[in-house]
Amino acid sequence: MVNMAGFSLEFLLLVVGTIGLALFGIFFGLIYKGIDRKLSAHMQGRIGPPIRQPFRDVVKLFTKENIVPDNAIAWVFNWAPIIGLVGTISILLYLPIGSINPIANTSGDLIIVLYLLMIPSLAMVIGGFASGSIYATVGAQREMATMIAYEFPFAIIIVTIAWILKTINIEATNVFSLSFIAANPLWGNLGILGFIGFIILLLVLVIVTPAELSKIPFDSPEAETEIAGGLLAEYSGRNLGIFYLTDAVKTVVMASIIVALFFPYNISGFFGLNNIPAIAVDFVFYLIKVLFVILFSVTLIRVAIARLKIDQIVGIYWLWITLLGLVGLICIMWDYQMMLRYEFYKPIFSILGLQ
Amino acid sequence: MIDTFLKSLETGSGFWNPLVLGLAIIIALLLIYIIRGFGKKDYKKGTEQTKAFLSGNPEYSKDEMHIKGKNLYWGFTQALKSVYNVLEKMHNGNTSDYVLWFVIIIGALFIIIGVI
């Protein structure tokens, strides 16, 4: 009976939490999209649309005709956007938001997040193939190649972080858990070499992010000027609107992953706050961190660099970014060995007098 | 009973609970389906608007416009051309060559294992 009550409470939390996170992801995703567009416009010397423009775009798309091409496989074509958005929203359940632990804290870790991140891309690929259009097919093929390319360096980052956490905390059995990673920031536990390695891994993740989000310079699957929008060429109306929302939520998801892995610090302790004020302050601080991550990994990169060809994308990720990731991994491993052998080799934070 | 049913799968390092994920997916699916329901459903079937967009080019028969699955890996084969060229030369269909490679790799493995 006790278990039944506990189960009901957990089920209720899951229902409310999923709906709340979905609305949170959509709302802030669209706001960040608006800020991104405004900032990139200013960087290019344009005024740009107002920050609320993405909300207007979605409303407009929902009032437009939802055309299903004659050549398309209608049910796959219609369901692909829904699956993509649902997959993206489900990732939010595993991510810490400020000082709030993930809702599915004990029900999944970073490995499941890595798998779930593939769902929106796969949904777009399936939707593209189901469109019955040559542009969409070419776009879908490029998205597949891009996806395979960036997964490898991304996996290196995750394995490195889990390895160093397990080495430092031998007793821990949940090193892949995002709440555990967020509760044990690595910066303070690394020596000089490890610190450099960790910065390299951050750089790798910052470069992986635009590809995850199909943003310039890794947007060859969509490439409006070349293949007329690629996988989205045949999408219109509410289906395109749902893909638009998926992109917005995925931006929040990717930025939240970078925040949880590399910048999990909160500021409520600094002000001596507790309970609800602490959660509120940490939440605002989290939103600011997400904004800065988006600014550096999406806005700046897409304004500064032109679109790459698909073979250049694969070459960059499989050769240079993977090599860079391995260099970061080796730095962190050497760092740990040196700390183990030489007593004078201390964490960089203690050298700087921060710990 | 429910606790055992809803228990997460654990490997010692990683863990996940497929049922929690499944439930979350169903809830999110219902929500998104409702949101999608606010959008316009209809369009003009059988008109020009349902034809695939080809930048004004004529649409040929499906066989002629088919893109082969081989193209899926074009980005890879092009980016890693130097590796693929070597591999293609090695893949010559001569069994004695394959046996030779087999022996060479076994020998290399023995050397590596012996040294370590």
Side-chain angles (χ1 to χ4, degrees):
Chain A
M1 200 62 196
V2 175
N3 279 346
M4 203 63 202
F7 173 74
S8 307
L9 195 70
E10 279 184 23
F11 182 73
L12 192 70
L13 182 73
L14 189 68
V15 173
V16 175
T18 309
I19 295 171
L21 281 172
L23 298 177
F24 157 79
I26 291 171
F27 180 74
F28 282 100
L30 291 175
I31 285 187
Y32 284 127
K33 216 174 165 66
I35 296 174
D36 167 54
R37 285 171 68 176
K38 189 82 183 166
L39 285 175
S40 61
H42 279 297
M43 287 175 194
Q44 292 169 335
R46 294 184 285 118
I47 296 169
I51 289 170
R52 63 181 183 279
Q53 186 62 39
F55 290 93
R56 289 171 170 173
D57 289 347
V58 173
V59 171
K60 179 93 179 206
L61 284 171
F62 271 63
T63 58
K64 290 284 181 186
E65 286 176 315
N66 184 45
I67 302 161
V68 181
D70 290 336
N71 292 340
I73 305 165
W75 71 272
V76 183
F77 183 81
N78 283 324
W79 273 93
I82 302 176
I83 301 294
L85 184 52
V86 167
T88 317
I89 288 169
S90 64
I91 305 171
L92 284 169
L93 264 76
Y94 300 97
L95 303 177
I97 311 276
S99 53
I100 308 165
N101 267 334
I103 290 175
N105 195 16
T106 53
S107 310
D109 54 19
L110 201 48
I111 304 291
I112 182 78
V113 170
L114 190 64
Y115 276 102
L116 286 173
L117 270 172
M118 279 190 259
I119 292 183
S121 304
L122 277 178
M124 284 179 86
V125 168
I126 292 167
F129 280 129
S131 297
S133 151
I134 284 203
Y135 287 136
T137 311
V138 171
Q141 288 171 335
R142 288 181 181 183
E143 178 70 28
M144 282 287 282
T146 312
M147 202 167 65
I148 299 165
Y150 65 68
E151 291 295 338
F152 196 20
F154 194 14
I156 291 176
I157 298 166
I158 290 171
V159 169
T160 311
I161 291 173
W163 177 83
I164 190 73
L165 276 171
K166 182 74 181 172
T167 319
I168 295 168
N169 312 283
I170 295 169
E171 299 296 315
T173 54
N174 55 345
V175 286
F176 282 103
S177 157
L178 268 156
S179 59
F180 184 81
I181 295 170
N184 297 279
L186 281 170
W187 296 104
N189 292 317
L190 299 166
I192 298 164
L193 207 55
F195 197 78
I196 295 167
F198 210 49
I199 288 175
I200 293 174
L201 290 183
L202 172 61
L203 183 70
V204 169
L205 192 50
V206 163
I207 300 171
V208 164
T209 304
E212 277 275 6
L213 302 172
S214 278
K215 293 280 191 288
I216 296 171
F218 306 108
D219 71 330
S220 75
E222 288 170 28
E224 292 86 354
T225 45
E226 182 197 347
I227 49 170
L231 344 107
L232 302 175
E234 294 300 327
Y235 274 99
S236 59
R238 60 181 183 175
N239 279 342
L240 187 59
I242 299 283
F243 268 136
Y244 194 92
L245 292 178
T246 309
D247 181 46
V249 179
K250 207 175 173 187
T251 310
V252 175
V253 165
M254 274 312 290
S256 300
I257 290 174
I258 297 183
V259 166
L261 294 181
F262 290 94
F263 310 109
Y265 301 98
N266 288 315
I267 53 165
S268 57
F270 184 72
F271 294 112
L273 296 170
N274 288 313
N275 303 326
I276 294 171
I279 293 172
V281 167
D282 288 336
F283 179 69
V284 173
F285 187 54
Y286 155 82
L287 292 177
I288 296 168
K289 287 189 285 186
V290 167
L291 176 64
F292 272 92
V293 168
I294 293 172
L295 175 68
F296 281 100
S297 62
V298 178
T299 317
L300 268 180
I301 295 180
R302 87 183 168 92
V303 169
I305 309 172
R307 181 183 302 129
L308 296 169
K309 290 196 292 178
I310 185 66
D311 57 316
Q312 291 172 324
I313 293 176
V314 174
I316 283 176
Y317 279 117
W318 269 48
L319 299 175
W320 304 115
I321 303 298
T322 302
L323 271 179
L324 204 61
L326 287 173
V327 169
L329 169 70
I330 291 165
C331 282
I332 290 173
M333 288 178 87
W334 274 353
D335 182 73
Y336 179 73
Q337 290 300 323
M338 289 172 92
M339 289 230 262
L340 211 64
R341 286 184 192 180
Y342 308 108
E343 282 185 11
F344 68 87
Y345 197 85
K346 291 172 183 168
I348 194 160
F349 274 29
S350 63
I351 298 170
L352 297 170
L354 293 171
Q355 262 183 356
Chain B
M1 180 70 186
I2 290 163
D3 284 349
T4 4
F5 191 58
L6 284 177
K7 205 174 173 182
S8 293
L9 304 169
E10 289 175 18
T11 62
S13 297
F15 57 91
W16 83 298
N17 191 326
L19 288 166
V20 169
L21 178 66
L23 279 171
I25 284 176
I26 292 168
I27 298 160
L29 197 69
L30 285 171
L31 179 72
I32 302 307
Y33 200 77
I34 292 166
I35 292 176
R36 189 176 178 270
F38 290 115
K40 194 173 177 178
K41 292 172 201 163
D42 48 335
Y43 63 99
K44 299 174 197 78
K45 288 179 190 173
T47 57
E48 279 289 311
Q49 69 171 196
T50 57
K51 285 184 180 166
F53 175 69
L54 287 170
S55 307
N57 294 311
E59 192 178 352
Y60 298 110
S61 73
K62 294 221 168 29
D63 287 344
E64 283 179 66
M65 297 192 75
H66 182 68
I67 296 171
K68 288 174 184 168
K70 185 184 159 190
N71 293 320
L72 181 66
Y73 292 103
W74 183 84
F76 273 93
T77 47
Q78 185 68 17
L80 309 171
K81 207 156 57 179
S82 51
V83 180
Y84 276 103
N85 284 345
V86 176
L87 288 176
E88 272 179 19
K89 274 180 195 162
M90 284 162 65
H91 196 80
N92 58 7
N94 191 340
T95 320
S96 55
D97 277 5
Y98 294 166
V99 173
L100 186 64
W101 277 115
F102 182 71
V103 172
I104 289 171
I105 287 169
I106 293 279
L109 281 176
F110 272 121
I111 291 167
I112 292 167
I113 293 165
V115 170
I116 292 168

